[in-house]
Amino acid sequence: MEFDFRNWKIHVGTPHPFNDEVPRPDNGTARPDPSRYYEPRFWRDEWDKVFTRTWLLAGVVSDIPEPGDYLRFDIGSESFIVVRDEDGSIKAHYNVCPHRGSQIALDHLGSVGQFVCPFHSWRFNLDGSNAQVTDAETFHPDVLCHGTDLTSVRCEEAAGLIFVSMNPDVPPLKDYLGEVADHLALYRIDEMNVIQHKRSEWAANWKGGVDAFYEIYHLHSVHPQTQCVMDDRTQIDLYPNGISRQFVPFAQPSPRFPDQQSVNAGIQMMLNDAGIDPAAYQGTAQESRAAIQQAKRRRSEQHGLGYERFSDTQLSDSTIYGIFPNVQIGCHPEAVFIHRFLPHPTDPEQFTYDTMILFKHEDIPGYNAPAWMGLAEGTDTTGAVRPDVVHVPLGQPPELGEVLDQDSELLPIVQQGARSRGFRGPLWSEQEARLRHFHVELDRYLTGEKLWGQG
């Protein structure tokens, strides 16, 4: 019998066009060579043919609200300065002085009137133009004619997210994102502030990180504690340019979980997030998801949160987007969780896992980022102070909460297995359709089919 499984029927509440499935492309059934997870040659091709040619998420607009505010974005062997210019536009430049190659921006975030090279104090305006060459009279004019400005790159913003590209011919960002740009805009990320930012080093290929976070098929095995609060029946939607979406139902048990009725501690936590007193809740675990949706509607109407722009599913569940090549964004009306999988500059078997939680403070009792995000006790959620970037070196638990710490322990084991002669490449189910979609897109770049990121 022909296998035609695609999605489970997961939605509760009022039908809404946002929840509609999109036509599934035919990504084939091929088994990719596992060398893509460890071969230096493959890693070099990815850098030359993918990362240098497509859009890369560099940061969020709330980190650079005023002229002169900048953020530093590092990926692979490159570093970029993303800055708010005097006219309010956002510019991006390679973080390198044209004189001798010194990096200019040394901090993750800052605010300046001009950029000053720490080596010989050359000065640059926010738009990258040279403002001063120290002792310019000692340079032969023909030397300076080679160029004294910073080298700028493409930089565009959508839905409060800032992307850069090293490729001058990359298509416009909103064309690249397609309808997903409109989806993300619903969450008003541009009004949210970063309230937690952590970077940790993991002993695995960056694609191993993408693979792990692009499916929830592994939850029952790696994260069994989630089965009482998350349904691992999902809807997966695949968009052009390797972009994907996945709905993850919250506040109801997985069918794998033996108790489908009791309102366990995890569901109580989610009820509380929605403003429902768990002690007063009279329903079952199967009814809590709809109760959360209704409670959030009432809170929105009372406080003018504008939740009429969301489907019921968006109110209770995690709506997750994969942005090719290396980003996942978990969206909730109250907060957004951004994951970036940054390739190591020299080692194909390491990557940096960069996470940011964004939240807009509201003066509403009990209104917070979802508790499952694992914010440390005492975290300042007002947005008044941008937290420092916490960096966790290789070999130490990232301290991102129980679930993500479990992933950090597992991925090096998967990485080691990828090198085995007994492993001939992944076998993906339809539950892992986002993985196949991602890898098929990756191969389009590597084979030259998407030489300039178009098509």
Side-chain angles (χ1 to χ4, degrees), residues 44-108:
R44 287 192 296 270
D45 282 350
E46 288 174 339
W47 180 253
D48 292 337
K49 298 180 180 180
V50 181
F51 286 99
T52 64
R53 293 183 179 174
T54 191
W55 286 108
L56 305 172
L57 177 60
V60 295
V61 296
S62 61
D63 273 343
I64 52 170
E66 301 295 334
D69 292 346
Y70 74 87
L71 63 89
R72 171 175 165 156
F73 169 53
D74 296 344
I75 183 169
S77 58
E78 289 293 357
S79 180
F80 302 92
I81 303 169
V82 180
V83 61
R84 179 78 63 178
D85 200 356
E86 295 289 353
D87 63 2
S89 64
I90 300 175
K91 303 290 197 307
H93 321 291
Y94 284 101
N95 183 20
V96 60
C97 180
H99 173 217
R100 292 273 295 279
S102 171
Q103 291 191 331
I104 296 172
L106 306 182
D107 297 325
H108 295 303

Side-chain angles (χ1 to χ4, degrees), residues 158-173:
L161 305 171
I162 305 168
F163 288 77
V164 300
S165 180
M166 294 174 262
N167 178 7
D169 298 318
V170 70
L173 176 62

